[in-house]
Amino acid sequence: MGYLLPGSSTPTSATPRRTPGPAGWLLLSPLLLWLGLFVVVPTLLLVILSFCSRDPDAPGRVLYAFTLENYVRAFQPTYLKILGSSLLYAFLTAILCLVMGYPVAYFIGRAPEGRRNTLLALVMIPFWTSFLIRTYAWVTILSNQGFLNGILQASGLTSAPVDFMYTPGAVVLGLVYNYLPFMILPIYGSVEKLDQSLIEAAYDLGARPWSALVEVILPLTRPGIVAGFFLVFVPSIAMFAITTLMGGGAVPTVGEVIQKQFTAARHAPFGAALGTLLLLLFFAGLWATKPRREPEPID
Amino acid sequence: MNTMVLLENVSKRFGSTVALQEVNIEIFAGEFLTFLGPSGCGKTTCLRLISGFERPSTGRVILDGRDVTGDPPYLRDVNQVFQTYALFPHLSVRDNIAFGLRMKKLPLAETRERVDKIIEVVSLDGLADRKPSQLSGGQKQRVALARAVVCQPKVLLLDEPLSALDAKLRHQMRLELKSLQKRLGITFVFVTHDQEEALAMSDRIVVMNLGRVEQIGGATEIYHRPATRFVASFIGDTNIVEAEVLGTDDGKILCRLEGGLQVLVRARNAPPDGKILVSLRPEKIRIHKTRPPGENVFRATVISEVFKGAVDDLTLRTEGGLELGVLDTNEGSDEVEFDVGEDAWCRIHPDDVIILGG
């Protein structure tokens, strides 16, 4: 019964689908070549590698003999737990980015047109610094001898340093801080396109501000929310630099495990298997959230 | 008649721009009132003050006896049809129409009943499950209308709702809007820059210019008895001529128009003094081959002629050099055809020379 319920489908544009002509393919060819050489081929190599095994006599050497042992190992509880917590941290990161980023994106998107670019620049400027430096900045704030503990102890609120670093909280904080703009930008794009008269129509029809938000503004900016969510969630799952710095090995994530297989553990095939599984997970996620096509407009 | 809306000494400034200056307007219950004026005249601001999207800088807005000056739109018993319709693209026609009732938390059964009924009233049967993107312009218009009317507002506000439609549909919708208003008995407040639209539908018209009310009155009154130079020239075509008052005689004023022509004017109010402006509608100046009897008869030469089917659009020059536009209806007799260069006798009734104020 669809009666009185907000629609669950996303708005689609009325433009018909187009395929590129000969000139279009020519213009696309550099990109296609790039993607083929540096994305498709390496990914296929990774998949092949994941079915190989490690030379027991010379760790680090790959034996090109078919085996499923890497996948069997990947489904052991230890790794499933790490994958689970990685997904949880990534999900928390995306939710926190959404909660903090939406109001900012809305404010910028509804600001006077001349001021929007300035406000967007203010969001972007901090991210012109390397993310490593920004993450180290957090380390200096949160560590036991850090800024925050200094204030807490000087003011007498705590007597001993509080362990902020190397906790799941620190990992999520680092992720949220780094990925926030990836949430703000797509939502801003949706909010900016939102017709002011639609919001006015909601108020005019008796919607209080909260109802206008839930019934009209959120559904109509859904494409931005979905895009932002995935732009934050997906890279957060396998991010290893931030989790290594902020988690310090005490909070293992799947990204860290994969990275270690290719370096310290010298077990590239197992790392490749974990990577392939993540890839499959992303495809499943993409398929599950794919926007469904609506019937064409009839005039 | 009961007062439904009262704009009391309302002014509105946006920064340093004055959008409305000391406006006083009374809107009666059940009437079709139109705000008419060029863009930037303040007509849309008036509408937004009633809907609650703007608050006046000074003055009060009274709705059905209650001061709503500070109330947000969602607490006012008025609904609006937006210029761009503003239909919710993610909701079906039915859910768009039900939106207002759902916000008012009406029982589901009653909501359904009222929505079904209004869908029938505005002839949207069979389209209820479509999305707005699947509708034509005229259909969207009906949905916007239904969505507002189903809430049974005290006042329905219409912000140039016909401007996005093609000419044929626009003419048809004029009649439909008027008959819908009659049937529902709701007070309609309509905003337009199209004088034809205003004249065709309104019980009363508020003519606005530069944030002020120029004149309020019925369509015929506004056309035949314009109060100001702006109203005379904005509504229909007219000749506006400078004149000097020479004297008063038996309820008539003798004026000398520029060019020296002397005409008698019916004195309606206290006779003015000195320099004045008068309006002479082109169709009120009758032209003849031979000298007609009566007052205000003068000679003039035809200097241009444009055939427009039902009428001839002529320009005449009097002996004193005053140029006047004249409309001559083509009633089928050849004898009243005039050629360029020909002399004609003109006559205008003293009642049809309008002294303009302001």
PDB file of all heavy atoms in Angstrom, chain A residues 188-207:
ATOM      1  N   TYR A 188      26.160  18.667  -0.561  1.00  0.00           N
ATOM      2  CA  TYR A 188      26.055  20.063  -1.005  1.00  0.00           C
ATOM      3  C   TYR A 188      25.482  20.121  -2.424  1.00  0.00           C
ATOM      4  O   TYR A 188      24.605  20.929  -2.714  1.00  0.00           O
ATOM      5  CB  TYR A 188      27.431  20.735  -0.958  1.00  0.00           C
ATOM      6  CG  TYR A 188      27.514  21.988  -1.786  1.00  0.00           C
ATOM      7  CD1 TYR A 188      26.979  23.185  -1.324  1.00  0.00           C
ATOM      8  CD2 TYR A 188      28.093  21.975  -3.051  1.00  0.00           C
ATOM      9  CE1 TYR A 188      27.029  24.329  -2.088  1.00  0.00           C
ATOM     10  CE2 TYR A 188      28.144  23.123  -3.827  1.00  0.00           C
ATOM     11  CZ  TYR A 188      27.615  24.300  -3.344  1.00  0.00           C
ATOM     12  OH  TYR A 188      27.645  25.417  -4.119  1.00  0.00           O
ATOM     13  N   GLY A 189      25.991  19.217  -3.290  1.00  0.00           N
ATOM     14  CA  GLY A 189      25.509  19.185  -4.664  1.00  0.00           C
ATOM     15  C   GLY A 189      24.006  18.973  -4.750  1.00  0.00           C
ATOM     16  O   GLY A 189      23.322  19.611  -5.543  1.00  0.00           O
ATOM     17  N   SER A 190      23.483  18.096  -3.908  1.00  0.00           N
ATOM     18  CA  SER A 190      22.040  17.834  -3.904  1.00  0.00           C
ATOM     19  C   SER A 190      21.256  18.994  -3.315  1.00  0.00           C
ATOM     20  O   SER A 190      20.196  19.368  -3.811  1.00  0.00           O
ATOM     21  CB  SER A 190      21.729  16.579  -3.083  1.00  0.00           C
ATOM     22  OG  SER A 190      21.990  15.427  -3.827  1.00  0.00           O
ATOM     23  N   VAL A 191      21.774  19.560  -2.224  1.00  0.00           N
ATOM     24  CA  VAL A 191      21.056  20.645  -1.541  1.00  0.00           C
ATOM     25  C   VAL A 191      20.975  21.875  -2.437  1.00  0.00           C
ATOM     26  O   VAL A 191      19.953  22.541  -2.516  1.00  0.00           O
ATOM     27  CB  VAL A 191      21.754  21.000  -0.202  1.00  0.00           C
ATOM     28  CG1 VAL A 191      21.165  22.282   0.381  1.00  0.00           C
ATOM     29  CG2 VAL A 191      21.624  19.853   0.779  1.00  0.00           C
ATOM     30  N   GLU A 192      22.093  22.135  -3.143  1.00  0.00           N
ATOM     31  CA  GLU A 192      22.142  23.311  -3.994  1.00  0.00           C
ATOM     32  C   GLU A 192      21.082  23.247  -5.089  1.00  0.00           C
ATOM     33  O   GLU A 192      20.521  24.254  -5.481  1.00  0.00           O
ATOM     34  CB  GLU A 192      23.540  23.396  -4.617  1.00  0.00           C
ATOM     35  CG  GLU A 192      23.832  24.717  -5.253  1.00  0.00           C
ATOM     36  CD  GLU A 192      24.850  24.595  -6.356  1.00  0.00           C
ATOM     37  OE1 GLU A 192      25.157  23.454  -6.755  1.00  0.00           O
ATOM     38  OE2 GLU A 192      25.343  25.622  -6.816  1.00  0.00           O
ATOM     39  N   LYS A 193      20.812  22.030  -5.570  1.00  0.00           N
ATOM     40  CA  LYS A 193      19.848  21.870  -6.653  1.00  0.00           C
ATOM     41  C   LYS A 193      18.403  21.903  -6.159  1.00  0.00           C
ATOM     42  O   LYS A 193      17.474  21.985  -6.947  1.00  0.00           O
ATOM     43  CB  LYS A 193      20.107  20.540  -7.376  1.00  0.00           C
ATOM     44  CG  LYS A 193      21.148  20.659  -8.464  1.00  0.00           C
ATOM     45  CD  LYS A 193      21.250  19.368  -9.250  1.00  0.00           C
ATOM     46  CE  LYS A 193      22.060  18.344  -8.502  1.00  0.00           C
ATOM     47  NZ  LYS A 193      22.138  17.043  -9.125  1.00  0.00           N
ATOM     48  N   LEU A 194      18.224  21.789  -4.839  1.00  0.00           N
ATOM     49  CA  LEU A 194      16.878  21.714  -4.268  1.00  0.00           C
ATOM     50  C   LEU A 194      16.161  23.050  -4.468  1.00  0.00           C
ATOM     51  O   LEU A 194      16.657  24.095  -4.064  1.00  0.00           O
ATOM     52  CB  LEU A 194      17.003  21.372  -2.777  1.00  0.00           C
ATOM     53  CG  LEU A 194      15.730  21.136  -1.998  1.00  0.00           C
ATOM     54  CD1 LEU A 194      14.961  19.971  -2.577  1.00  0.00           C
ATOM     55  CD2 LEU A 194      16.073  20.858  -0.546  1.00  0.00           C
ATOM     56  N   ASP A 195      14.996  23.005  -5.090  1.00  0.00           N
ATOM     57  CA  ASP A 195      14.220  24.198  -5.393  1.00  0.00           C
ATOM     58  C   ASP A 195      13.618  24.772  -4.099  1.00  0.00           C
ATOM     59  O   ASP A 195      12.913  24.077  -3.375  1.00  0.00           O
ATOM     60  CB  ASP A 195      13.113  23.801  -6.384  1.00  0.00           C
ATOM     61  CG  ASP A 195      12.324  24.990  -6.872  1.00  0.00           C
ATOM     62  OD1 ASP A 195      12.551  26.103  -6.364  1.00  0.00           O
ATOM     63  OD2 ASP A 195      11.482  24.794  -7.761  1.00  0.00           O
ATOM     64  N   GLN A 196      13.913  26.051  -3.844  1.00  0.00           N
ATOM     65  CA  GLN A 196      13.414  26.691  -2.620  1.00  0.00           C
ATOM     66  C   GLN A 196      11.894  26.609  -2.524  1.00  0.00           C
ATOM     67  O   GLN A 196      11.345  26.456  -1.439  1.00  0.00           O
ATOM     68  CB  GLN A 196      13.871  28.159  -2.600  1.00  0.00           C
ATOM     69  CG  GLN A 196      13.367  28.983  -1.410  1.00  0.00           C
ATOM     70  CD  GLN A 196      13.966  28.533  -0.089  1.00  0.00           C
ATOM     71  OE1 GLN A 196      15.047  27.949  -0.054  1.00  0.00           O
ATOM     72  NE2 GLN A 196      13.262  28.785   1.008  1.00  0.00           N
ATOM     73  N   SER A 197      11.213  26.668  -3.675  1.00  0.00           N
ATOM     74  CA  SER A 197       9.752  26.675  -3.611  1.00  0.00           C
ATOM     75  C   SER A 197       9.211  25.336  -3.109  1.00  0.00           C
ATOM     76  O   SER A 197       8.099  25.280  -2.581  1.00  0.00           O
ATOM     77  CB  SER A 197       9.153  27.020  -4.975  1.00  0.00           C
ATOM     78  OG  SER A 197       9.462  26.025  -5.913  1.00  0.00           O
ATOM     79  N   LEU A 198       9.997  24.249  -3.228  1.00  0.00           N
ATOM     80  CA  LEU A 198       9.537  22.961  -2.687  1.00  0.00           C
ATOM     81  C   LEU A 198       9.513  23.002  -1.162  1.00  0.00           C
ATOM     82  O   LEU A 198       8.598  22.476  -0.520  1.00  0.00           O
ATOM     83  CB  LEU A 198      10.448  21.827  -3.166  1.00  0.00           C
ATOM     84  CG  LEU A 198      10.341  21.476  -4.639  1.00  0.00           C
ATOM     85  CD1 LEU A 198      11.393  20.460  -5.030  1.00  0.00           C
ATOM     86  CD2 LEU A 198       8.948  20.939  -4.943  1.00  0.00           C
ATOM     87  N   ILE A 199      10.528  23.641  -0.574  1.00  0.00           N
ATOM     88  CA  ILE A 199      10.562  23.774   0.878  1.00  0.00           C
ATOM     89  C   ILE A 199       9.421  24.683   1.327  1.00  0.00           C
ATOM     90  O   ILE A 199       8.718  24.400   2.303  1.00  0.00           O
ATOM     91  CB  ILE A 199      11.928  24.340   1.325  1.00  0.00           C
ATOM     92  CG1 ILE A 199      13.054  23.444   0.813  1.00  0.00           C
ATOM     93  CG2 ILE A 199      11.988  24.464   2.835  1.00  0.00           C
ATOM     94  CD1 ILE A 199      14.442  23.995   1.049  1.00  0.00           C
ATOM     95  N   GLU A 200       9.217  25.765   0.565  1.00  0.00           N
ATOM     96  CA  GLU A 200       8.128  26.674   0.902  1.00  0.00           C
ATOM     97  C   GLU A 200       6.785  25.977   0.779  1.00  0.00           C
ATOM     98  O   GLU A 200       5.888  26.185   1.597  1.00  0.00           O
ATOM     99  CB  GLU A 200       8.172  27.914  -0.002  1.00  0.00           C
ATOM    100  CG  GLU A 200       9.325  28.833   0.352  1.00  0.00           C
ATOM    101  CD  GLU A 200       9.276  30.156  -0.394  1.00  0.00           C
ATOM    102  OE1 GLU A 200       8.438  30.302  -1.302  1.00  0.00           O
ATOM    103  OE2 GLU A 200      10.083  31.033  -0.050  1.00  0.00           O
ATOM    104  N   ALA A 201       6.642  25.139  -0.256  1.00  0.00           N
ATOM    105  CA  ALA A 201       5.385  24.410  -0.436  1.00  0.00           C
ATOM    106  C   ALA A 201       5.116  23.524   0.774  1.00  0.00           C
ATOM    107  O   ALA A 201       3.983  23.419   1.248  1.00  0.00           O
ATOM    108  CB  ALA A 201       5.433  23.571  -1.708  1.00  0.00           C
ATOM    109  N   ALA A 202       6.164  22.893   1.315  1.00  0.00           N
ATOM    110  CA  ALA A 202       5.988  22.034   2.490  1.00  0.00           C
ATOM    111  C   ALA A 202       5.481  22.858   3.674  1.00  0.00           C
ATOM    112  O   ALA A 202       4.507  22.484   4.339  1.00  0.00           O
ATOM    113  CB  ALA A 202       7.300  21.345   2.839  1.00  0.00           C
ATOM    114  N   TYR A 203       6.108  24.006   3.926  1.00  0.00           N
ATOM    115  CA  TYR A 203       5.659  24.874   5.021  1.00  0.00           C
ATOM    116  C   TYR A 203       4.236  25.349   4.773  1.00  0.00           C
ATOM    117  O   TYR A 203       3.398  25.379   5.670  1.00  0.00           O
ATOM    118  CB  TYR A 203       6.572  26.088   5.158  1.00  0.00           C
ATOM    119  CG  TYR A 203       7.924  25.776   5.751  1.00  0.00           C
ATOM    120  CD1 TYR A 203       9.074  26.358   5.255  1.00  0.00           C
ATOM    121  CD2 TYR A 203       8.041  24.911   6.843  1.00  0.00           C
ATOM    122  CE1 TYR A 203      10.319  26.075   5.795  1.00  0.00           C
ATOM    123  CE2 TYR A 203       9.278  24.623   7.392  1.00  0.00           C
ATOM    124  CZ  TYR A 203      10.410  25.203   6.860  1.00  0.00           C
ATOM    125  OH  TYR A 203      11.633  24.929   7.394  1.00  0.00           O
ATOM    126  N   ASP A 204       3.979  25.721   3.520  1.00  0.00           N
ATOM    127  CA  ASP A 204       2.673  26.243   3.161  1.00  0.00           C
ATOM    128  C   ASP A 204       1.577  25.219   3.436  1.00  0.00           C
ATOM    129  O   ASP A 204       0.471  25.560   3.821  1.00  0.00           O
ATOM    130  CB  ASP A 204       2.674  26.618   1.675  1.00  0.00           C
ATOM    131  CG  ASP A 204       1.364  27.226   1.237  1.00  0.00           C
ATOM    132  OD1 ASP A 204       1.123  28.376   1.610  1.00  0.00           O
ATOM    133  OD2 ASP A 204       0.580  26.537   0.563  1.00  0.00           O
ATOM    134  N   LEU A 205       1.911  23.938   3.247  1.00  0.00           N
ATOM    135  CA  LEU A 205       0.918  22.876   3.439  1.00  0.00           C
ATOM    136  C   LEU A 205       0.881  22.412   4.894  1.00  0.00           C
ATOM    137  O   LEU A 205       0.307  21.371   5.200  1.00  0.00           O
ATOM    138  CB  LEU A 205       1.220  21.707   2.508  1.00  0.00           C
ATOM    139  CG  LEU A 205       0.990  22.035   1.033  1.00  0.00           C
ATOM    140  CD1 LEU A 205       1.655  21.020   0.130  1.00  0.00           C
ATOM    141  CD2 LEU A 205      -0.506  22.099   0.744  1.00  0.00           C
ATOM    142  N   GLY A 206       1.516  23.162   5.783  1.00  0.00           N
ATOM    143  CA  GLY A 206       1.367  22.882   7.209  1.00  0.00           C
ATOM    144  C   GLY A 206       2.488  22.067   7.818  1.00  0.00           C
ATOM    145  O   GLY A 206       2.381  21.655   8.974  1.00  0.00           O
ATOM    146  N   ALA A 207       3.567  21.806   7.063  1.00  0.00           N
ATOM    147  CA  ALA A 207       4.672  21.032   7.618  1.00  0.00           C
ATOM    148  C   ALA A 207       5.495  21.918   8.545  1.00  0.00           C
ATOM    149  O   ALA A 207       5.892  23.014   8.164  1.00  0.00           O
ATOM    150  CB  ALA A 207       5.546  20.478   6.503  1.00  0.00           C
TER     151      ALA A 207
END
